[in-house]
Amino acid sequence: MLARVVDKESDWILNHCTKYLARDNTDERHSFFGLDAGLPRAKISECWRFPVVDADDSGEAGASEHNHVSFVYRGRDAVVRLLTPCLGLHAPADLRPVGDSNYLSLTLRVPKGRRYRYRFIVDGRAQLDPINPQVMDTAQNEPWSCFWTSSYNEPINLERSEMALIGRMTSALLPFQGRETRNLIERGLNDGNVAHFFRMDIHVGVANYIDNILAREERHHLHSYKLCLPMIDRVLRRRNPGVEPADLSDPIYKGLFDDMKNDTPELARDGWDHNAYGNPGYFLYILRRHTWTGAFSHPKYGGNPGGLGWAFLGETFRTSADPSLSAFNWARAIEPPLGNSGEYRG
Amino acid sequence: MADLRDEFDVVVIGSGAGGAPIAYELARAKRSVLVLEKGALLRTQDERGPGRLSDFKRDEMFNAGPERIITTPGMVNTGASFFTSHVEPDLNDEPHVFTNVDRPQDGSKITIEGYTAQVVGGGTQLYGAVSLRFAERDFKLKTANQGRQLKGDPGGDALKHVIDWPFDYDAIEPFYAKAEHLIGINGTVAGQIKKFSQDNYQTPLLPNPISEFARLGMQRLGLQTYRTPLAVITQKHEPSGRTAGDPKVGYVNRYGDPLGYKSNTWVSLLRPTIRDGHDLELRPNCVVTHLEASGRKISKVHYRDPSGNRRTVSGKLVIVACSAIESVRLLMLSAEEDPENFASLVRYRQDGCLLGRFFLTHAFGGAEVQIKGQRFDKSISLDSDYATDSCASEDFLDAHGLWAGGAIYNNTSDQCLPITMARTEGDTDLDFFWGGFIGAQDHTSEAALQWLNGAFGSRLSAAFMANQIPRFENRIELHPDVRDKWNRKCGHVIKNFHPHDEQVMNLFADVCRQIMVEGVPKYTELGSGSVYGNAVRIANHIMGGARFAPSRELGVLDPNCRVWDADNLYVTDGSFMPTSGGANPTLTIQANAFRVASHLLTI
Ligand SMILES: Cc1cc2nc3c(=O)[nH]c(=O)nc-3n(C[C@H](O)[C@H](O)[C@H](O)COP(=O)(O)OP(=O)(O)OC[C@H]3O[C@@H](n4cnc5c(N)ncnc54)[C@H](O)[C@@H]3O)c2cc1C
C-alpha cells in the first residue's frame, strides 16, 4: 500500500487541534465572503488545516519524501473509521482516541506529491469529513473528501488554460527569465555581475502554488480568479487578435497591469466587466501577493521548485565586498537536500 | 483526565517572560508548580529525538501566514485582511479591540498589536531577543524630574501620573545578572552606561558587515556603542544544558527557533527544570478563563483543557503572567464572574480602581536608509549588532528638555528574507502587513526587479526605544459587545500618546537619522519617523495596566507584585510596570520575576 498508519504523539495532535477546534461560540466567524455559510466548518478556525499535512518527522529513511497526514474527528463516543484508497478501500482503519481528549485521530505516512480521496465511516455510515472543505467527485459523481501532500503539482481547482494564463501573468509580474530581464542585468542590475538564472522556469511553480492555496489557505479568493481570468483573457485577445495570451510579450502584460492598476476606460472597453468584478486593481494586488509568496516560499507549498526562486535572488544579488559571494545564502539555513544546513532538518 | 493533580503549591498562568522565572525558582525550591499555558508546546529538534524534526520551521509562511478576513461586525476594519503567524491568535476568535482615546470618533478596530505569542514560551518564542537592561534613571523618573522644565508639554501634565518604581536599580541589579546568566544572552558590558556586578554575557558573534555603518554613525556622533545583548546562545550554556550552533540564518525575529539557540523561556528555564526532575508540571493548550476567590484567597483557577472541557485547579499561590492586556482582562473577567468578592479584591468598578489604567507601550521609531552601491547578505545575522545608551544620559535629557531617555540600536535582520521584505514594505503597524505592497502597484515586471535591486541586502535601520508618558486615560477594559470563542468579553485597548511623547520621538528619530547620515557613505533613500500619531502601534511591547506602587492608592499591586487586597494573587508579566523603561522590556520582566520569586521563597 502507498500509505501506512503511524503512531503520532497525542500532544502533537492536540497542538494542532485546540486553537482551531476547541470553542463554545457558534457564530459563523470563519466563513469569509460567506463561503461556508450554514456549514459546521464556518464556526471553526482555519478548517483548511485538516487533515493536518505535515512533515514526516520520524527521522526514518525516506522521510523527506513523505508526509504525515493526521485525520481528526471531533467527538469521542462514535466509532469512526477512515476509508481511503491509499490504505486500500477494503481496509478501513479506526481513528483512535487522543489521550483523554474529545478528539479521535489517525495519522498516515503518505508519499509527497499525491492526492487522495477519503471518507469517514461514523457508526457504520460513510460521510464526508465535516471539517475539511476539500471535496472531489469520483467518476461516478460521488463526492469524497480529499487531501493532497506537499509539492502536489496537478491542477486542483483551476483549468489547465487558467493555469497557463496565471503562469504567463506571474512570469511577467516577476520576470525571472526573458529578454527584458537579461537587458536589465546588462544595464547594471546586479552591479554588473552576470547571473546564471536563465534556467529558470519559475512561472510553472507559481501557478501551481496559486492553485494550491486557492484550494486550501485562501479558498475565499478562488471566486475572484474564476471571475477575473476569463475577463483578462478576453481583454488580451481583443487587443491582440490571433495571438494566444500565453505568447504575448512582457510589455503587453505590463500595459495590462497598468490598466488594471488605474482601472482605465480602455480596460472596460476591451472586455472587463465591472458588474462581475468591480476592482481590477484589487485583483492585481492579490495576484502580485500570491506571485511573490509562491516564488519565495518553501517548495512544499507548491511553488519555488527546487528553491529556484531563492536561487534567483542568490545568484542575481552578490555582496559588494566579494562578488563571488551571494547576498542571499539561503541554503545555509535550509534542510538538505534542498539546502545545506548541517544542523536543521526542516 | 480524572486522575489529573488538582492541588499545587503554586499555579502559574502563562509560560512567558513573567511566568517562567517564578516556575523555575519555586520548583527548584521544592514547591509543586503547575504552569497553565494557553498555547501549544512546540518542541525543538533535539527534544523530538534523534533525526526527528522540530515543530518550528525556518519557513516564512509560518510567520507570514495566509490571508484571513476580519468578520467581527461593526468595526472600522470589518472585512479587512489580517495576517498572523501560527502561534498568534485567530483575530476572529480572540479579537483585541482598539480605540484611540483622544479620537473616539474614528471608531474602533480589531488589532493584532498587543498580542505577543500564544505558545509555551510566550512572546520569547517570537521575539527579536534584544535583551537590554533599563537605565538606572528609568526606575526613578518622578524623583529625577523634580523641578525640571520639559519641552513640548503644553498642558504641563506630562509628569502628573509618573511614579517611581518601589525600588531602585541597585535592588534589581542582582536579578538582572541572574536572568542574564540563566537565560543565556550574548553581548558586551563595555560601552553600557549601566552598572554591572557581573558580566554574564556570552561572546557575541561577528557582526554583519552592514552594521559597521551604524557603528560608525554612532561613533561619529560621539555616542558610545556596545554589542547589543541578544538572548541567543553563542556558546555552550551550562544552566540550560544547551549547545550552540549556527543561529545566524535570518530566522530569529518573529520566528520560533527549531534548534533552541534562541533563549526563550521554554528552552532556557522550564525545560531544564522538568529535565532535572523538579516538581514542575506544564499543561499546554489550557486557557484559564477566570479565578475564583474565597475571602482574600484565590481558591480556584478555572480553565479549559485542550478539548475545551471545564477544569479547575488550586494553588497556595496563584501567579498571573498572561502578558499585560490578557492578565488585566483575566482579572476583570474574574471580577465580573464574582461581582461581590473577587471584584472587591481588585476594586473592579469601585472608586479609586486602577486596574487597567496606565497601560503603556513604548515611544519608538527610527530611521532607515537604502545604501547606494553596496550589498550585504543580511540573512546571515541576528536581530541587532550595535546599541548605544548615550541618549539616556542626564546631559542629553537636560539639553533637550526630555523627561526620560531611551536606547538606540541598529536592526540587522529586518527585511532580510524576500516574503517579509515585501509584506513589511512601508509598513506602519502589524495590522498593515502587505499594505505597502498593495500600494506599490507599480512594482510589476521590470519595476519589481528594480525595487528588489535597490533594496535587497542594502537596507539598514536604526531604531529607538524610549519611555512613554503614563496617562491615566490609557487603559484596558472589557469590550461590552465583542466576545471571544469562549463567549468571554474581549480586551479593549484604549490609548494614545501624550504630546511630550512627540517631543521625545522626534528627537530620537532625528538622532537615528543622523546616525545613518554620518555612517553611510552614499544612499538612495533615507527616511525617519516614529509611531507618534499612530496610537495603535505597540512594538509588541505591552506594559502597565496593573502597576505596582508603594501604596494601595497608587497601584494595583504591592511592591512584590501581589494584588493589594488578596493574600495569594500575584501578577508578574509586563503589566506591573509603572513606567515603560528606555529599552525593550523582556529582560526587565524576567529580572523582576526572579526578584518576586526570591520574595515568595521567604513566605
Ligand atoms: C515579534 C516580536 C518581537 C519582539 N522582540 C522583542 C525584543 O527584541 N526584545 C524584547 O525585550 N521584547 C521583545 N518582544 C516583546 C516580548 O515578547 C514581551 O515583552 C514578553 O514576552 C512579555 O512577557 P509577558 O510575560 O508579559 O508575556 P508573554 O511572554 O507573552 O507570556 C504570556 C503567556 O501567557 C499565555 N496566556 C495568555 N492568556 C492566557 C490564559 N488565559 N491562560 C493561560 N495562558 C495564557 C500566552 O499564551 C503566553 O504564552 C517581542 C515580541 C514579539 C511578538
Side-chain angles (χ1 to χ4, degrees):
Chain A
M1 265 313 122
L2 280 163
R4 71 178 156 80
V5 174
V6 293
D7 285 329
K8 201 81 179 169
E9 299 94 331
S10 295
D11 62 355
W12 192 96
I13 300 288
L14 295 178
N15 283 342
H16 289 80
C17 287
T18 303
K19 175 178 171 186
Y20 311 106
L21 303 180
R23 64 192 52 246
D24 286 349
N25 182 281
T26 54
D27 299 344
E28 295 192 352
R29 297 178 172 200
H30 305 280
S31 168
F32 306 151
F33 310 142
L35 198 61
D36 293 322
L39 298 173
R41 70 176 65 102
K43 300 168 185 170
I44 59 173
S45 164
E46 300 185 27
C47 58
W48 54 265
R49 288 187 185 271
F50 297 90
V52 184
V53 179
D54 206 328
D56 172 348
D57 61 358
S58 64
E60 285 173 26
S64 67
E65 294 307 311
H66 289 81
N67 283 126
H68 280 179
V69 182
S70 299
F71 299 83
V72 173
Y73 185 86
R74 282 199 293 174
R76 56 177 297 127
D77 297 330
V79 175
V80 182
R81 296 195 294 164
L82 174 73
L83 184 66
T84 174
C86 64
L87 277 182
L89 284 174
H90 55 281
D94 285 351
L95 271 66
R96 307 158 175 185
V98 180
D100 286 333
S101 76
N102 295 358
Y103 309 109
L104 301 174
S105 89
L106 185 73
T107 301
L108 302 186
R109 182 183 201 248
V110 184
K112 285 187 177 169
R114 307 291 177 117
R115 185 186 190 204
Y116 289 107
R117 60 193 162 103
Y118 70 98
R119 282 178 169 179
F120 286 150
I121 304 174
V122 181
D123 292 332
R125 300 203 11 210
Q127 63 166 64
L128 298 180
D129 181 343
I131 304 177
N132 175 12
Q134 321 304 328
V135 176
M136 66 192 280
D137 289 329
T138 60
Q140 293 76 35
N141 256 335
E142 287 177 342
W144 286 64
S145 293
C146 71
F147 69 93
W148 56 93
T149 52
S150 298
S151 311
Y152 181 68
N153 60 13
E154 291 293 317
I156 298 166
N157 283 316
L158 296 174
E159 305 295 327
R160 291 212 179 258
S161 59
E162 292 170 323
M163 296 275 280
L165 183 56
I166 292 177
R168 184 64 194 92
M169 281 199 291
T170 56
S171 72
L173 278 172
L174 251 186
F176 287 174
Q177 53 178 5
R179 201 162 44 83
E180 290 78 12
T181 314
R182 206 167 328 176
N183 289 340
L184 199 65
I185 286 168
E186 280 157 12
R187 289 203 309 272
L189 174 75
N190 183 31
D191 315 315
N193 299 310
V194 178
H196 311 281
F197 55 81
F198 303 109
R199 59 189 166 85
M200 302 228 15
D201 189 19
I202 196 74
H203 63 274
V204 175
V206 172
N208 187 56
Y209 164 85
I210 291 176
D211 182 47
N212 264 264
I213 56 161
L214 292 179
R216 205 147 53 188
E217 291 91 326
E218 297 195 16
R219 292 184 303 133
H220 52 280
H221 285 312
L222 176 62
H223 192 56
S224 298
Y225 276 80
K226 287 285 181 188
L227 286 174
C228 294
L229 290 174
M231 295 199 281
I232 289 169
D233 185 79
R234 187 157 67 221
V235 169
L236 291 172
R237 287 181 192 278
R238 204 166 286 178
R239 290 181 177 182
N240 307 279
V243 188
E244 278 300 305
D247 298 333
L248 294 169
S249 69
D250 278 8
I252 288 180
Y253 278 95
K254 174 71 177 160
L256 171 77
F257 299 145
D258 287 343
D259 282 347
M260 289 171 73
K261 175 188 77 175
N262 299 319
D263 199 2
T264 59
E266 290 76 19
L267 196 67
R269 180 200 68 202
D270 294 337
W272 191 281
D273 176 1
H274 284 84
N275 293 324
Y277 196 92
N279 188 347
Y282 186 69
F283 182 69
L284 177 65
Y285 152 68
I286 301 174
L287 185 67
R288 285 173 54 232
R289 180 168 61 77
H290 287 168
T291 302
W292 205 275
T293 46
F296 300 124
S297 61
H298 194 284
K300 71 183 177 191
Y301 294 102
N304 187 17
L308 282 175
W310 295 333
F312 166 77
L313 297 175
E315 292 176 14
T316 307
F317 300 124
R318 320 297 292 178
T319 66
S320 39
D322 181 352
S324 73
L325 291 181
S326 168
F328 186 44
N329 187 358
W330 60 276
R332 170 173 171 165
I334 300 298
E335 72 281 0
L338 189 59
N340 57 28
S341 169
E343 308 174 338
Y344 172 63
R345 304 184 289 267
Chain B
M1 287 209 181
D3 53 352
L4 272 187
R5 273 166 86 184
D6 59 4
E7 281 182 22
F8 291 84
D9 291 330
V10 190
V11 176
V12 178
I13 308 166
S15 62
I22 309 260
Y24 178 94
E25 291 284 72
L26 280 98
R28 282 167 188 268
K30 306 258 175 292
R31 310 290 199 280
S32 59
V33 179
L34 172 69
V35 176
L36 289 168
E37 166 56 52
K38 176 181 186 183
L41 171 57
L42 302 185
R43 295 179 183 276
T44 60
Q45 252 177 217
D46 67 315
E47 275 169 66
R48 306 251 15 245
R52 299 195 59 191
L53 309 186
S54 171
D55 300 315
F56 285 111
K57 303 275 182 241
R58 290 175 175 172
D59 176 343
E60 281 203 88
M61 298 305 274
F62 262 42
N63 124 54
E67 183 202 54
R68 279 146 295 168
I69 308 288
I70 292 168
T71 58
T72 309
M75 296 288 133
V76 171
N77 57 350
T78 306
S81 319
F82 71 97
F83 301 88
T84 54
S85 77
H86 62 141
V87 295
E88 288 169 304
D90 182 325
L91 290 186
N92 289 321
D93 274 343
E94 299 173 89
H96 276 168
V97 182
F98 166 80
T99 307
N100 182 329
V101 66
D102 299 317
R103 296 192 54 84
Q105 66 274 24
D106 291 352
S108 299
K109 63 181 276 192
I110 302 297
T111 183
I112 187 67
E113 293 275 352
Y115 265 119
T116 47
Q118 299 185 342
V119 58
V120 172
T124 66
Q125 286 283 9
L126 292 196
Y127 74 159
V130 172
S131 299
L132 304 172
R133 296 182 175 194
F134 286 178
E136 294 171 32
R137 194 176 183 279
D138 286 339
F139 297 87
K140 292 282 166 215
L141 284 175
K142 182 178 168 66
T143 310
N145 278 293
Q146 237 124 40
R148 292 180 77 237
Q149 280 297 313
L150 302 183
K151 285 195 188 143
D153 179 19
D157 60 351
L159 300 168
K160 187 169 165 201
H161 293 294
V162 178
I163 59 171
D164 288 344
W165 288 41
F167 49 79
D168 61 12
Y169 179 86
D170 289 343
I172 199 172
E173 200 283 337
F175 299 101
Y176 271 137
K178 179 173 211 163
E180 282 155 352
H181 170 62
L182 292 177
I183 299 229
I185 294 176
N186 78 80
T188 57
V189 169
Q192 301 201 36
I193 62 170
K194 289 126 337 191
K195 275 186 295 196
F196 277 70
S197 62
Q198 292 167 47
D199 180 351
N200 288 330
Y201 289 137
Q202 296 194 338
T203 310
L205 300 171
L206 281 180
N208 189 294
I210 198 172
S211 300
E212 179 57 15
F213 296 123
R215 195 200 61 78
L216 212 61
M218 291 178 189
Q219 187 189 44
R220 287 184 178 150
L221 289 178
L223 310 174
Q224 208 178 0
T225 60
Y226 53 97
R227 290 298 304 281
T228 313
L230 298 170
V232 177
I233 56 165
T234 57
Q235 291 160 300
K236 188 164 174 30
H237 185 244
E238 295 289 351
S240 63
R242 285 178 293 153
T243 43
D246 176 15
K248 283 198 146 197
V249 289
Y251 290 92
V252 172
N253 194 2
R254 298 206 76 83
Y255 287 87
D257 178 359
L259 299 175
Y261 303 142
K262 179 149 88 179
S263 298
N264 63 69
T265 54
W266 165 245
V267 296
S268 61
L269 299 176
L270 299 177
R271 185 175 76 180
T273 305
I274 294 171
R275 280 185 178 169
D276 289 349
H278 298 286
D279 190 359
L280 170 58
E281 184 178 336
L282 170 70
R283 291 188 195 157
N285 296 307
C286 290
V287 61
V288 174
T289 54
H290 60 284
L291 309 176
E292 184 182 323
S294 104
R296 286 174 58 97
K297 265 182 78 98
I298 304 307
S299 50
K300 273 194 187 133
V301 175
H302 292 254
Y303 71 97
R304 301 301 190 99
D305 74 10
S307 306
N309 298 321
R310 292 172 203 271
R311 307 273 171 189
T312 62
V313 68
S314 62
K316 292 180 193 137
L317 296 174
V318 175
I319 316 292
V320 176
C322 301
S323 79
I325 298 169
E326 287 300 302
S327 286
V328 168
R329 175 174 172 236
L330 181 64
L331 297 183
M332 290 181 168
L333 288 168
S334 307
E336 293 207 341
E337 286 280 336
D338 176 9
E340 292 302 313
N341 187 30
F342 193 100
S344 75
L345 297 185
V346 293
R347 292 176 276 162
Y348 185 58
R349 299 223 160 117
Q350 295 175 4
D351 254 10
C353 172
L354 293 179
L355 183 60
R357 296 282 172 178
F358 307 114
F359 176 66
L360 288 165
T361 64
H362 268 126
F364 76 104
E368 185 184 61
V369 284
Q370 192 157 290
I371 301 168
K372 188 170 179 197
Q374 297 204 51
R375 202 188 299 285
F376 302 84
D377 187 353
K378 290 197 23 154
S379 73
I380 311 296
S381 58
L382 298 178
D383 199 43
S384 171
D385 284 319
Y386 292 104
T388 176
D389 292 341
S390 296
C391 300
S393 71
E394 296 285 339
D395 290 350
F396 180 86
L397 300 178
D398 285 343
H400 300 286
L402 304 185
W403 78 296
I408 293 179
Y409 52 90
N410 82 299
N411 291 124
T412 314
S413 66
D414 55 329
Q415 306 191 28
C416 70
L417 299 174
I419 295 176
T420 315
M421 186 176 152
R423 80 175 180 135
T424 57
E425 170 70 0
D427 65 345
T428 51
D429 55 57
L430 303 181
D431 302 317
F432 190 72
F433 279 144
W434 293 105
F437 189 84
I438 297 181
Q441 289 278 53
D442 285 328
H443 287 173
T444 57
S445 310
E446 290 188 18
L449 294 187
Q450 289 289 15
W451 172 65
L452 264 175
N453 185 38
F456 198 83
S458 52
R459 285 195 180 164
L460 177 68
S461 64
F464 65 87
M465 209 50 78
N467 281 275
Q468 180 195 338
I469 297 278
R471 291 178 67 186
F472 180 74
E473 303 76 26
N474 285 353
R475 63 192 188 272
I476 307 301
E477 287 185 353
L478 296 179
H479 197 278
D481 308 319
V482 181
R483 307 228 165 200
D484 72 5
K485 66 174 184 169
W486 305 109
N487 294 323
R488 304 186 310 157
K489 288 182 186 170
C490 287
H492 187 185
V493 182
I494 304 165
K495 73 176 249 279
N496 195 7
F497 292 101
H498 184 277
H500 185 64
D501 291 323
E502 183 179 22
Q503 187 77 19
V504 171
M505 290 195 254
N506 283 348
L507 196 86
F508 271 83
D510 192 55
V511 175
C512 291
R513 199 186 60 83
Q514 287 178 48
I515 291 172
M516 295 293 130
V517 171
E518 292 295 325
V520 178
K522 281 190 195 153
Y523 46 83
T524 50
E525 283 174 24
L526 169 65
S528 65
S530 74
V531 295
Y532 192 80
N534 185 10
V536 73
R537 196 73 180 92
I538 281 174
N540 306 304
H541 298 173
I542 49 178
M543 294 148 294
R547 73 180 187 184
F548 66 3
S551 75
R552 190 177 174 278
E553 289 63 47
L554 284 176
V556 175
L557 308 176
D558 80 2
N560 289 316
C561 288
R562 182 176 59 89
V563 172
W564 276 103
D565 295 339
D567 290 340
N568 64 340
L569 177 59
Y570 293 77
V571 182
T572 58
D573 55 46
S575 53
F576 75 86
M577 290 191 188
T579 49
S580 52
N584 312 46
T586 307
L587 181 71
T588 303
I589 297 174
Q590 290 163 330
N592 180 66
F594 280 117
R595 186 189 65 87
V596 172
S598 78
H599 162 75
L600 294 176
L601 289 175
T602 66
I603 57 175

